[in-house]
Structure formats: structure tokens, C-alpha cells
Amino acid sequence: GLLKLLDAEDVFVEQPDEKSIITYVVTYYHYFSKMKQETVQGKRIGKVVGLAMENDRLIHEYETLTSDLLKWIEATIDNLGDRNFANSLNGVQQQLSQFSNYRKVEKPAKFVEKGNLEVLLFTLQSKMRSNNQKPYMPREGKMISDINKAWDRLEKAEHERELALREELIRQEKLEQLASRFNRKASMRETWLSENQRLVSQDNFGFDLAAVEAAAKKHEAIETDIMAYGERVQTVVAVCRELEIENYHDMSRITARKDNVTRLWNYLGELLAARRQRLELSLDLQQNFQEMIYILDSMDEIKVRLLVDDYGKHLMGVQDLLQKHALVEADIKVLGDRVTSVVENCQKRFLSEEAQVAGYQPCEPQIILERMQQLEEAYGELVRLAVERRSRLEDSRKFWKFYWDMADEDNWIKEKDQIVSVVDIGHDLTTINSLLSKHRALENEIQSHEPQLMSVAKVGNDLVNEKHFAADRAKQQLQDTLSR
């Protein structure tokens, strides 16, 4: 910007022009003096511009940090407000550990950042005041008070999160304790049910009525014990339902084990009912066998009475024996009804197609058939003996009736013989006529009585011809009576 007033040749002379040189030097002095003033003014302007730029940078930094901090606070509040906790004790413990890490690591760093923001704003405002500038005031939503309010909400959300985590932790601990209780009870129930299944699967009922009745009483005690145990099984179901309501995390395993306990319980009930049916069948069979024994004993007693060799000593005695025999026959008929009932019951309950299909046989069918056959044969023999005794008694009555009638005829003959043996033939006509009249009447009576005598005699002949057990006595009686 300086004009070239002199050349080098103008100065490189023996006597240069002093005024020209002084003028040129003064020109340089004024030029450089003016340049110094401009440099000072530029520095001042640069300083002001630099301060303004620094303030703008600090403002931008403040606003950026404030926005980031507020975004973090809001995001953290949302995260802390999430109540979808892990559905397990370990998961909740991990969430509690993450929460603790947040409080010890993440939050303190943000708290320091919040303090730095306050320092930054204070420093910025102080600089602006010192430069006689209007202090920077953050716009609405990015003020320190807004940060403090957001921080307070963060503190509240943090407190609520901690309480919720603690409550969920306690709930999960209780659920784990409840699950442990369920597992313990389920294990006990499974063991008990399995042992009782083995118990009721045994059919050691015995082979006589007393043993089977004792087994029946024992079975009733087992049934009572098992039915009382049902409440304990329902306790397992109730605990499972409680865990399900509380949404326990391992619910599939709990449900499967509950179903197993329920299945074992139902199967035990089926085994118990089936064992009762088998026991009732065995008891029915032994009762039938016992009834057979009672019937056979009664038959033996009656048989002794039927084999008595007493058919009466006279007509009244025979009639008395026949009356007694009629009572025996009535007893035999009752026994016959009992035999029929026992045989039909055995046939229906143990030998029918339905019984064969059922699959369980309390006894070998051959044994049942043998006992039925023994009973029927004994009853048949008893009936045969009863028929034979009645026949002998009837024959005895027939003989004694004949004997009684022949005695009457004998007495009648003796009586008439005494009449005709009288030697009185009368002393006058009147007496003789009277005796003749009586004699004709006697002859008429004898003639009219002869058919009766012949009828009785025919009975005697029949006894002889039939070779009756008293045929000899009947023949002798006939000869004695008819010879008169």
C-alpha cells in the first residue's frame, strides 16, 4: 500500500537527496503507525467475537447436555416404571442386581453430569455478566428447575421401582417356598399312593369264611384310611391351583406332577373298587360253601333219623311216626330249596359266561362243581331215604291196620261164637219161636258181615302175596281168624 518514491539507483549515489529520503522514511513511519492502531482494534474485535463464540458454544453444550440428560431421565423413568418383572426368583434377583448397579454406577454419573450442568450454566451466566452482556436464560423445559423436577420424578420412580422389586422378590420367594411345599407334599403323596396300590393289588383273602371275613374287615379299614387321605390329595391340588393363580414360572412341571398325583389317586380308587368286588365275590363263594356245609350237616342229622329201624309197634305208633316223618319231609323240602338256591347262586356267580368274562375266579371252577355235585348227591340220597322210610311206614301202617281190623273180626267172631254155642233150645213154643227169630237174625248178620271179613282177609292175602316184611304174622293171623 506504499507508493514507490525512490529507486535503488536514486539512493546508491554519492550524495543522495536527503529530503526525498526523509519524505520516504516519514511515509513508512506513518504507514506502520497506522497499521499498529488497526491491529489493536482487530484484537479487541476478535476478543469480543471470541467471547461471543465461546458463549454460543457453551450455550449449545448446555442445551445439548440438558437435552441428553432430560432424555435419559425420561427414558429411565419409563424403564423404572415397567412392572413386567421376570417371572422367577432368579430373574427378579437379576433385575434387583441391575437396579442396584443403576443406583451405584449409572445414576451417580448422571448426578455428576447434572451438577456439571449447573456449574456450566453458572459459569456461562457469570461470564456474560462480566462482559456486560445479558445473562443466558435457558428456554422453558431446559431450565435447571426443569431438570430438578425431572430428577425428583426420577427419584420417585426409583423409590417405587425399589418397592415394587422388593415386593416381587418377596412374592417370588413365597412362590418358591410354596413350590417347595408342593414338591414335598407331592412326593409324599406319590410314595403313599404307590405303596397302597401295591397293597390293594394283593388278593390274599384266605380259603375259608373266617379268613375272608377278616380280610373284608381289613379292607374296610383300608378303605376308610384311603378315603380319609383324599383331603391330603386335595391339598396338593389346592397348592397347585394357588401357584397357577400366582402365575408361577415353572407351572408346566407343577401341573404335570399334580396330574400324576391325581392319576395315582384315581387309579388307587379303581384298584380299591376292583379289590372290593373280588373280595365280595370271594366272600359270597365262602358263604355259599359254608351254607353247603350247614346243609350237609342238617342232612346228616335228618339221615340219622331216617335210618332209625322203628316202624311202629301198633297202629297209633305208626300214625305218630308218619306225622313225625311228614315234619321231616317238610324239613327236607326246605333243605331242597336251600340246595337249589345255593346251586343256582354258584352257577350264576361263578360258573356263568358273565363270570368267565369278568376274568377273576375266587376258586377253581372244578372245586365248585365238585361241591355242588356232592351237595346234590347228598340231597338225592336224603330224598331217597325219606321215600323209602315213608314206604316202610305206609307198609307198617297197612299191616297194623290189617292187624287191628283182624283183631276186631276175631272179637266179633268170638262174640258170635258164644251166642251160637248156647245150648238153650227153648221150653215152649213161644221161647222156641223167639230163639229161631234170633238165630235167623244172627245168620243174616253173619251173611252181611262176611264181605267185610273177606275184605280184611284180602288185605292180609295181599300182604302175604306182596311179601310184606310182616307177611308171616299176617298169614298166621289170617289162619287163626278164618279157622274160627
Side-chain angles (χ1 to χ4, degrees), residues 399 460 463-476:
F399 168 74
L463 291 175
V464 173
N465 294 331
E466 292 172 0
K467 296 182 180 180
H468 190 276
F469 67 89
D472 294 339
R473 295 184 62 183
K475 184 177 181 180
Q476 184 64 39

Side-chain angles (χ1 to χ4, degrees), residues 302-321:
I302 295 175
K303 186 176 180 181
V304 172
R305 296 159 61 183
L306 292 176
L307 292 175
V308 173
D309 192 17
D310 179 15
Y311 303 107
K313 305 301 181 180
H314 47 76
L315 182 60
M316 296 298 294
V318 174
Q319 290 177 344
D320 183 58
L321 289 175

Side-chain angles (χ1 to χ4, degrees), residues 151-356:
W151 194 267
D152 290 340
R153 290 191 293 110
L154 177 66
E155 294 282 352
K156 181 179 179 182
E158 177 186 330
H159 177 67
E160 292 175 352
R161 173 76 172 183
E162 182 180 13
L163 291 178
L165 277 172
R166 297 291 180 188
E167 290 177 358
E168 182 64 18
L169 181 65
I170 292 173
R171 191 182 78 87
Q172 290 293 338
E173 288 176 346
K174 289 182 178 179
L175 285 179
E176 289 297 333
Q177 293 175 358
L178 190 61
S180 177
R181 176 188 170 199
F182 172 85
N183 291 328
R184 185 174 63 256
K185 288 184 176 295
S187 179
M188 293 171 60
R189 304 301 178 265
E190 288 170 345
T191 301
W192 189 89
L193 290 171
S194 298
E195 291 177 353
N196 279 270
Q197 284 177 6
R198 288 193 294 271
L199 176 63
V200 299
S201 297
Q202 300 173 1
D203 291 342
N204 49 344
F205 302 143
F207 301 99
D208 54 52
L209 182 60
V212 176
E213 287 179 342
K217 291 181 180 179
K218 183 178 179 181
H219 183 83
E220 290 177 357
I222 293 174
E223 279 185 329
T224 302
D225 186 31
I226 290 177
M227 291 300 104
Y229 203 81
E231 295 181 359
R232 301 187 182 185
V233 174
Q234 291 304 315
T235 300
V236 173
V237 176
V239 174
C240 175
R241 188 180 301 111
E242 185 175 353
L243 287 170
E244 184 177 5
I245 292 173
E246 293 296 330
N247 193 26
Y248 181 64
H249 69 94
D250 198 10
M251 201 60 220
S252 59
R253 182 185 62 82
I254 295 294
T255 302
R257 195 159 192 187
K258 183 265 293 182
D259 292 340
N260 185 53
V261 172
T262 305
R263 180 185 61 80
L264 290 174
W265 171 253
N266 293 333
Y267 184 56
L268 178 60
E270 294 174 1
L271 290 178
L272 193 65
R275 188 175 192 268
R276 168 163 283 281
Q277 290 180 353
R278 296 193 299 272
L279 185 57
E280 289 177 349
L281 202 61
S282 296
L283 184 60
D284 190 11
L285 176 64
Q286 294 301 327
Q287 288 175 344
N288 278 278
F289 282 172
Q290 189 66 41
E291 177 68 7
M292 290 180 182
I293 293 174
Y294 290 154
I295 294 173
L296 289 172
D297 291 341
S298 299
M299 287 182 181
D300 290 338
E301 294 178 0
I302 295 175
K303 186 176 180 181
V304 172
R305 296 159 61 183
L306 292 176
L307 292 175
V308 173
D309 192 17
D310 179 15
Y311 303 107
K313 305 301 181 180
H314 47 76
L315 182 60
M316 296 298 294
V318 174
Q319 290 177 344
D320 183 58
L321 289 175
L322 280 170
Q323 290 177 354
K324 292 179 179 179
H325 186 75
L327 296 177
V328 172
E329 286 178 330
D331 292 340
I332 293 174
K333 185 177 184 306
V334 172
L335 286 178
D337 294 338
R338 292 171 63 185
V339 169
T340 302
S341 176
V342 170
V343 170
E344 288 179 353
N345 191 34
C346 289
Q347 186 69 35
K348 179 180 179 181
R349 292 296 302 274
F350 311 110
L351 301 176
S352 63
E353 293 182 0
E354 292 81 0
Q356 297 296 330

Side-chain angles (χ1 to χ4, degrees), residues 15-56:
Q15 294 182 350
D17 187 1
E18 292 181 357
K19 290 184 179 179
S20 298
I21 293 173
I22 291 172
T23 301
Y24 202 16
V25 171
V26 169
T27 300
Y28 269 93
Y29 174 78
H30 285 297
Y31 179 78
F32 286 112
S33 176
K34 185 178 179 181
M35 285 184 63
K36 184 178 180 181
Q37 291 178 358
E38 289 177 353
T39 301
V40 171
Q41 290 177 356
K43 287 182 178 180
R44 289 178 180 175
I45 292 172
K47 183 178 180 181
V48 171
V49 171
L51 289 173
M53 291 177 65
E54 178 67 15
N55 289 339
D56 288 341

Side-chain angles (χ1 to χ4, degrees), residues 451-463:
Q452 180 179 342
L453 176 61
M454 290 299 102
S455 175
V456 175
K458 182 178 183 303
V459 172
N461 288 324
D462 291 340
L463 291 175

